Amino acid sequence: MTFSPAKWPRRLRSQEWYEGNSRDTIYHRGWMKNQGHPHDLFDGRPIIGIMNTWSDLTPCNGHLRELAEKVKAGIWEAGGFPVEVPVFSASENTFRPTAMMYRNLAALATEEQMRGQPIDGAVLLVGCDKTTPSLLMAAASTDLPSIVVTGGPMLNGYFRGERVGSGTHLWKFSEAVKAGEMTQEEFLEAENSMSRSTGTCNTMGTASTMASMAEALGMALSGNAAIPAVDSRRRVMAQLSGRRIVQMVKDDLKPSDVMTKDAFENAIRTNGAIGGSTNAVIHLLAIAGRVGVDLTLDDWDRCGRDVATIVNLMPSGEYLMEEFFYAGGLPVVLKRLGEAGQLHKDALTVAGSTIWDEVQDVRNWNEDVIRPVDKPLTDQGGIAVLRGNLAPDGAVLKPSAASQHLLKHRGRAVVFEDIDDYKARINDDALDIDETCVMVLKNCGPKGYPGMAEVGNMGLPPKVLKKGITDMVRISDARMSGTAYGTVILHTSPEAAAGGPLAVVRSGDMIEVDVEARRIHLDISEADLSTRLEAWTPNHEQRESGYEWLHQTHVMGADTGADLDFLKGCRGSPVGKDSH
Ligand code: FES
């Protein structure tokens, strides 16, 4: 930790708008006064933007306006001036074609809202999957002092006495219906038990993973990730974060001070320990690209390889976020990593202290939920990065969610050209497929879908499910929901729509996967592969205008985080010209 706080008092960027008595200043202040703000609020105190991803159509973040009031209270208490700013909210459960396509748009819009307005620091009020990375990307690109407050997970769901995990049980119930083990009426009854309160998915899905990533990166106060949305301590966390951001502005403690390479390595190891979502790979690569940290897919494999999963949460385990919180939450995991020599203890956090300072005295209150290191859920908690002629730029797999017997496998490819082709044929009993086959899905990557949808965990064909088989090897350039599971190889790069080798796989080809050796291989000759690639022409839908065109034209590969090429990097927060 090498951070030295800046001197205070000093002139802040917001004073470019509000200081003095020029015509422009009077114009800016005068308008703000129509909200009843006294004159002395414009005296140079930190102005804090509460970047709020609340939306009625992002139900996971539906309670963030209430939480914003607590953030405001904290900012006032610490002598700051809070301003709440609604920002683009990319909801996982409503946006089409996929919320992922809008992560970059949300990051772009938020970045410009932060830079173009009189804000000295920001509270990133987030929750649902894409809202956390998009705002972290914006903060990284502006490098304005920022602190993350997540909305927190929903309470446990229960159906007929059993825990129901968001997403995880949607897939399970849906497959049970297809296999004839559950009626449609029971499925509808279960629907009502899935979302018991406000908040994000209650599994260790992408939202909980990204909340944990924010905390492991040092961008949220310790303990933030797991507090349930409706627990009073969530509101306390919001208020404390509001207090803290004011001091961060005074100290000039910026995202680039916190999100260092060490911090990213801490986050990668944390992801392994929590059994976190594969989506974290893409988001952390994108955030690192914004803040100027050289992070690669190989860092994911290198750092995560020896990390055991110790958090026993769905989809890999049996409990939910509520129990994780009662057991002590992420600080316990970070402490365990530190004790195992797998944490950069000196990494700085938004609290102004080291991450080890924050966690070294915490206790584990339930060793079935957060396991001791010698009794892990799985030894291989990290994300495995596979390479070979089928994925020269890499593909990822989450070993903790996969079936052990499929981690080394050779099988006949059954190819679906795109998601519509998959949907049209998967339920056909005439489809030539059995459980030894490898399901291959193309054109679902960043350019191809477009947006890289969470369809990589293709449901199995009913005729296989009816045999009691629950997993097969699946390969695609898509993503997978953090709540999903299976031997699912994702993010295959380059993607099919960019002419990667995935594009030329044919049904009947043999594919070899060896996770231990980190290998994925299309068993055809080099000459045959070259001939096929030379003859390849794109067959995905190319958009002609609008944001989808911008996205398809500029999105980079999943192996570097699927950001837009012109948004990579930190542009800082220079104060632009005044137009008045
Ligand atoms: Fe929004 Fe899971 S769908 S948090």
Side-chain angles (χ1 to χ4, degrees), residues 173-195:
F173 291 154
S174 158
E175 304 233 313
V177 171
K178 276 200 221 165
E181 294 161 3
M182 187 179 202
T183 65
Q184 188 64 32
E185 290 67 36
E186 287 172 322
F187 195 9
L188 290 175
E189 191 186 331
E191 175 191 330
N192 295 328
S193 67
M194 287 179 182
S195 305

Side-chain angles (χ1 to χ4, degrees), residues 60 92-93 127-129 200-201 207:
C60 326
E92 201 60 32
N93 41 51
C128 193
D129 298 16
T200 53
C201 287

Side-chain angles (χ1 to χ4, degrees), residues 52-67 89 128 151 198-200:
N52 194 345
T53 55
W54 164 84
S55 162
D56 276 341
L57 284 173
T58 308
C60 326
N61 296 10
H63 59 304
L64 294 189
R65 279 200 296 184
E66 289 86 52
L67 215 51
S89 184
C128 193
T198 53
T200 53

Side-chain angles (χ1 to χ4, degrees), residues 91-306:
S91 167
E92 201 60 32
N93 41 51
T94 46
F95 251 116
R96 294 184 180 189
T98 163
M100 180 60 190
M101 196 176 77
Y102 301 99
R103 182 202 66 178
N104 298 335
L105 180 61
L108 168 62
T110 306
E111 175 186 339
E112 298 308 323
Q113 282 181 290
M114 288 173 73
R115 183 183 297 112
Q117 303 195 88
I119 289 172
D120 302 307
V123 177
L124 313 179
L125 207 43
V126 292
C128 193
D129 298 16
K130 303 302 174 293
T131 58
T132 307
S134 59
L135 266 60
L136 274 168
M137 288 161 74
S141 278
T142 58
D143 211 21
L144 280 172
S146 300
I147 190 168
V148 170
V149 177
T150 52
M154 290 187 284
L155 296 176
N156 283 6
Y158 289 96
F159 176 61
R160 299 186 173 173
E162 302 281 327
R163 282 183 193 82
V164 174
S166 316
T168 303
H169 276 83
L170 186 70
W171 323 129
K172 283 202 167 130
F173 291 154
S174 158
E175 304 233 313
V177 171
K178 276 200 221 165
E181 294 161 3
M182 187 179 202
T183 65
Q184 188 64 32
E185 290 67 36
E186 287 172 322
F187 195 9
L188 290 175
E189 191 186 331
E191 175 191 330
N192 295 328
S193 67
M194 287 179 182
S195 305
R196 276 184 57 221
S197 73
T198 53
T200 53
C201 287
N202 55 20
T203 42
M204 188 51 82
T206 304
S208 299
T209 298
M210 289 313 298
S212 301
M213 294 298 91
E215 190 172 328
L217 280 169
M219 288 297 292
L221 291 182
S222 189
N224 170 77
I227 307 171
V230 294
D231 193 298
S232 55
R233 286 163 282 188
R234 170 63 54 195
R235 286 177 283 154
V236 172
M237 176 59 72
Q239 191 158 339
L240 294 178
S241 302
R243 289 182 191 170
R244 179 62 200 154
I245 187 64
V246 176
Q247 190 59 45
M248 286 174 65
V249 169
K250 291 178 179 175
D251 292 345
D252 200 23
L253 176 54
K254 304 182 294 299
S256 59
D257 297 314
V258 175
M259 291 196 283
T260 59
K261 181 83 184 239
D262 279 359
F264 281 98
E265 292 188 353
N266 283 345
I268 290 171
R269 292 193 176 103
T270 300
N271 190 63
I274 62 176
S277 165
T278 46
N279 284 323
V281 178
I282 291 188
H283 298 324
L284 257 57
L285 289 171
I287 297 163
R290 294 298 188 98
V291 79
V293 166
D294 182 22
L295 192 75
T296 67
L297 264 185
D298 291 333
D299 289 316
W300 273 91
D301 204 304
R302 176 180 59 81
C303 295
R305 200 165 186 136
D306 298 323

